[in-house]
Amino acid sequence: MNKYLIRGFGLLILGAIITIYSLNLMQAEGSMYKFIMPIGVLCFGIGVILSMYSVFRKIDRNTLQRYRRDQQNLK
């Protein structure tokens, strides 16, 4: 696993925990959930983006390696 995937999963989990905590605060009618929920949603969103970026990097790397291998075989 590369650093983007690890950070992505970490932020996904952190964002989910923060969002669930803020939902519990909202049900208990606490006023702090208005400040905590956007932080959780942003963490979750950034985690999704980093996880997707990791997958796209892996696909791009494999394609580049295949292209270079094909270029060497043509020579």
Side-chain angles (χ1 to χ4, degrees), residues 13-25:
I13 292 169
L14 181 66
I17 290 170
I18 292 172
T19 304
I20 290 170
Y21 176 68
S22 65
L23 286 172
N24 288 336
L25 281 178

Side-chain angles (χ1 to χ4, degrees), residues 21-23 25-26 29-38:
Y21 176 68
S22 65
L23 286 172
L25 281 178
M26 185 172 64
E29 298 184 12
S31 62
M32 284 297 293
Y33 80 91
K34 294 177 185 177
F35 302 106
I36 296 174
M37 189 173 287

Side-chain angles (χ1 to χ4, degrees), residues 24-74:
N24 288 336
L25 281 178
M26 185 172 64
Q27 289 177 352
E29 298 184 12
S31 62
M32 284 297 293
Y33 80 91
K34 294 177 185 177
F35 302 106
I36 296 174
M37 189 173 287
I39 295 170
V41 171
L42 285 174
C43 286
F44 191 84
I46 293 170
V48 168
I49 290 171
L50 283 176
S51 299
M52 289 174 49
Y53 180 68
S54 169
V55 171
F56 291 145
R57 275 181 52 120
K58 185 169 180 81
I59 292 170
D60 187 45
R61 183 173 183 273
N62 289 341
T63 304
L64 187 59
Q65 285 177 339
R66 189 178 318 127
Y67 174 75
R68 288 178 180 165
R69 192 171 40 241
D70 291 343
Q71 291 298 319
Q72 282 183 345
N73 289 339
L74 291 176

